[in-house]
């Protein structure tokens, strides 16, 4: 197993501009070679944290685009996706403003993030990973916020990807936000939940200017999703030891705070407010698959279905997962595996 410790090759040799990948040669000398790496790669002007885990270089590559935008998946990936590395090479990327990337280069609070900038980062990461592992294309898998970036990446550079898989697929900021408020309100009314109804009435329907309101509604959303879903294993959310030091945990919390404000905006004018994926066009040049929790209140399956039905793609599929909500649980991961096995794998042959 090839281990490079805290660096992916000689990082100082890598440079990038716009969405260009760092120049690199494949580390894979044979399809049977295993790989396990973690470290910083220079992507579009800053060093960004990437991990690569796989039992065989010849296996298909999955590039995960995490949610949040500040919620890096790398601390939890080994627990959540244990066993997948036997069949796929798994790539985690801590986005600009998230996780270990934030820890390395903390942006000032007044330095904005943008969907376009992070889309270009993701494209550069995909190019780098393809070259680094000797693969012409990778499978793109985005969840929640990552589903926004995933669609932007898939639309901009479809030739880099075998397929796009969107889990908890966001569609339109205003539609998704209003739908969440409406559905949580209806559930609270049905349950005669007076405390929640009082707080929701005080919030009023979105859009909002107060950045706290989205977080308040999300707490009620999680409350009602929790009644209709199966909880994930607790071990999933215990960060791996490397990410569990006091400094790493403090950095992760600070990254979450920074990214939340960038996402919502101090006046409700952050990155999320501008999200309208149908406006990018509904014709895709690669296969597209959506996986939606039946009880997802934040990214409504009905809103995602309407968008999905409008999409034209070489192949597409829509999966609704029972006893699942917005946040992943075992049923969601099982559905991802099934889509990969039954719908994506045949496209790779």
């Amino acid at each position: 197993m090839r281990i490079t410790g805290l660096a992916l090759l000689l990082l100082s040799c890598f440079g990038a501009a716009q969405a260009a990948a760092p120049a690199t040669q494949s580390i894979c000398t044979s399809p049977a070679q295993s790989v396990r790496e973690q470290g910083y790669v220079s992507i579009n002007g800053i060093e960004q944290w990437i991990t690569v885990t796989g039992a065989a270089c010849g296996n298909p590559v999955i590039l995960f685009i995490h949610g949040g935008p500040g919620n890096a998946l790398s601390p939890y990936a080994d627990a959540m996706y244990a066993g997948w590395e036997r069949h796929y090479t798994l790539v985690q990327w801590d986005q600009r403003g998230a996780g270990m990337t934030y820890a390395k280069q903390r942006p000032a609070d007044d330095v904005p993030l943008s969907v376009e900038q992070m889309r270009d980062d993701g494209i550069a990461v995909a190019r780098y990973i393809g070259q680094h592992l000797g693969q012409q294309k990778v499978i793109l898998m985005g969840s929640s916020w990552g589903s926004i970036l995933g669609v932007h990446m898939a639309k901009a550079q479809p030739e880099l990807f075998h397929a796009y898989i969107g889990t908890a697929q966001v569609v339109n900021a205003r539609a998704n936000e209003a739908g969440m408020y409406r559905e949580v309100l209806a559930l609270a009314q049905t349950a005669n939940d007076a405390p929640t109804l009082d707080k929701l009435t005080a919030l009023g329907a979105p859009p909002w200017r107060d950045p706290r309101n989205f977080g308040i509604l999300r707490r009620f959303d999680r409350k009602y999703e929790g009644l209709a879903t199966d909880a994930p294993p607790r071990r999933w959310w215990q960060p791996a030891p490397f990410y569990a030091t006091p400094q790493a945990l403090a950095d992760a919390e600070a990254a979450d705070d920074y990214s939340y404000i960038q996402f919502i905006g101090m006046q409700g004018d952050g990155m999320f407010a501008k999200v309208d994926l149908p406006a990018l066009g509904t014709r895709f040049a690669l296969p597209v698959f959506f996986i939606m929790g039946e009880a997802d209140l934040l990214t409504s399956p009905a809103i995602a279905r309407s968008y999905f039905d409008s999409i034209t793609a070489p192949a597409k599929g829509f999966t609704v997962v029972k006893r699942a909500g917005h946040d992943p649980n075992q049923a969601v991961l099982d559905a991802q595996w099934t889509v990969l096995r039954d719908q994506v794998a045949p496209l790779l042959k």
Side-chain angles (χ1 to χ4, degrees), residues 187-219:
L187 288 168
Q189 289 170 337
T190 299
N192 294 316
D193 182 353
T196 297
L197 287 171
D198 289 345
K199 291 183 175 65
L200 291 175
T201 301
L203 281 182
W208 302 299
R209 294 177 64 84
D210 188 334
R212 294 172 296 183
N213 288 0
F214 182 89
I216 293 170
L217 178 59
R218 186 76 173 104
R219 287 199 294 273

Side-chain angles (χ1 to χ4, degrees), residues 26-35 53-61 85-89 132-135:
S26 173
I27 61 161
C28 295
T29 58
S30 77
Q33 178 184 325
S34 64
V35 58
T53 305
C57 280
N59 286 337
V61 177
E85 74 279 358
R86 294 196 297 271
H87 306 278
Y88 296 93
T89 299
H132 191 60
L133 298 175
Q135 300 257 0

Side-chain angles (χ1 to χ4, degrees), residues 243-269:
Y243 301 94
T245 66
Q247 185 61 58
L249 293 173
D251 288 338
E253 183 176 358
D256 191 30
D257 291 343
Y258 166 77
S259 296
Y260 177 82
I261 293 300
Q262 294 294 317
F263 180 62
I264 297 299
M266 292 303 294
Q267 299 293 323
D269 55 354

